[in-house]
Amino acid sequence: MRICSPLVRRVSALCLSLLTAVASTGCSSDPAPQPVADAAVDTMPEPEDVFIGTGSLVLTWTVNGMPAAQGCAAAGGVSVRFPANFVQFMQDTTVPCTQGEYRIPDTAATLAAVTAELLDASNNPIYTFVTETTVRARQTTNAAIRFEPPGRLQIRWTINGMAPSAECGLVNARATQFRVQRASPMARNCTAGTMTLGNVQVGPVGLTGELVFNTGDRRPWVLVKSTAEVNSNELTIVDVDFAAARTMM
């Protein structure tokens, strides 16, 4: 007679319980499902405010389309003056024309409008140029200054695609006003249809036009915006169209 020890009996019981568990779940060889880990959530960094802090501004200039090293002497330019604007320049600043650039390494992040004057040997201005740019925090901004003769800009307007000579009366408009860059607005009779401006600095210029209604007409003025590329010693033409409801037929 074979006598089983208690240890053998315990092992046999364990094997029997395992076989019973397998039989009850089938004979699948697939691995047991694993718990699904939570998907990682990507977090986007918050955008930095580009107008909080300081940045760098680099002003570079050409003279009559030439690098400063050649253009200054050809135009009789000796120095470049930056009048104080109390943001980039706390006081008038003058540097040699042939220097070709001026760096401001630590200036407020803001919309910048810098005036530059090309001066002759007697400190008389030869050309004046206003450069408008945006200084962003922790970045370097480059702004170009073009010292050269200005051009002319002719603005022509229509109303509802029609000639103003007839349409102004139908929409009850009496005048138009146009502002070029930062200059003061200039007004013309609505039916004139055209306006020519002299001494407009070269390069891209923005203009804003307003259609002004007759007194007593409570409608807000109609606003249009456009841009033009002005070339030195040339006439540039830009056409704008005002859309306004007719009050008369």
Side-chain angles (χ1 to χ4, degrees):
M1 178 184 294
R2 186 176 58 180
I3 300 174
C4 294
S5 68
L7 176 59
V8 172
R9 288 199 296 270
R10 285 197 295 272
V11 172
S12 299
L14 178 60
C15 292
L16 180 60
S17 64
L18 290 173
L19 290 172
T20 303
V22 171
S24 63
T25 57
C27 299
S28 173
S29 60
D30 294 339
Q34 299 297 317
V36 179
D38 292 338
V41 178
D42 294 333
T43 56
M44 296 295 293
E46 294 185 2
E48 295 181 317
D49 193 327
V50 297
F51 291 113
I52 295 180
T54 61
S56 299
L57 177 62
V58 180
L59 301 165
T60 59
W61 55 88
T62 57
V63 182
N64 291 330
M66 296 181 287
Q70 294 80 38
C72 293
V78 174
S79 58
V80 173
R81 178 171 60 201
F82 299 99
N85 63 0
F86 304 104
V87 181
Q88 288 77 33
F89 295 94
M90 300 307 296
Q91 59 187 8
D92 289 4
T93 301
T94 303
V95 298
C97 178
T98 53
Q99 182 171 304
E101 71 171 31
Y102 188 83
R103 293 177 173 266
I104 308 173
D106 190 22
T107 185
T110 184
L111 300 176
V114 176
T115 299
E117 300 172 332
L118 177 63
L119 307 180
D120 62 16
S122 300
N123 289 329
N124 296 314
I126 302 173
Y127 301 126
T128 299
F129 191 93
V130 179
T131 182
E132 297 182 353
T133 189
T134 301
V135 179
R136 292 176 170 81
R138 300 168 296 279
Q139 298 181 29
T140 297
T141 300
N142 296 282
I145 297 169
R146 295 173 58 181
F147 289 125
E148 52 192 282
R152 295 181 298 147
L153 179 65
Q154 184 180 86
I155 305 170
R156 303 186 303 196
W157 62 90
T158 53
I159 303 174
N160 298 325
M162 307 295 291
S165 56
E167 200 72 7
C168 289
L170 296 178
V171 301
N172 199 32
R174 63 179 175 85
T176 57
Q177 284 192 162
F178 287 94
R179 180 194 300 273
V180 177
Q181 299 293 74
R182 293 174 175 265
S184 299
M186 291 155 286
R188 291 290 187 276
N189 188 291
C190 177
T191 57
T194 185
M195 173 191 304
T196 302
L197 311 176
N199 296 317
V200 180
Q201 75 175 30
V202 298
V205 297
L207 64 92
T208 301
E210 296 171 317
L211 181 64
V212 184
F213 297 108
N214 284 308
T215 303
D217 193 326
R218 296 184 179 277
R219 288 179 296 169
W221 295 0
V222 177
L223 184 71
V224 296
K225 292 187 176 182
S226 185
T227 58
E229 182 73 24
V230 176
N231 298 314
S232 179
N233 289 322
E234 294 183 10
L235 175 66
T236 300
I237 299 175
V238 58
D239 294 311
V240 298
D241 183 58
F242 295 100
R246 290 179 173 179
T247 59
M248 300 176 61
M249 295 299 294

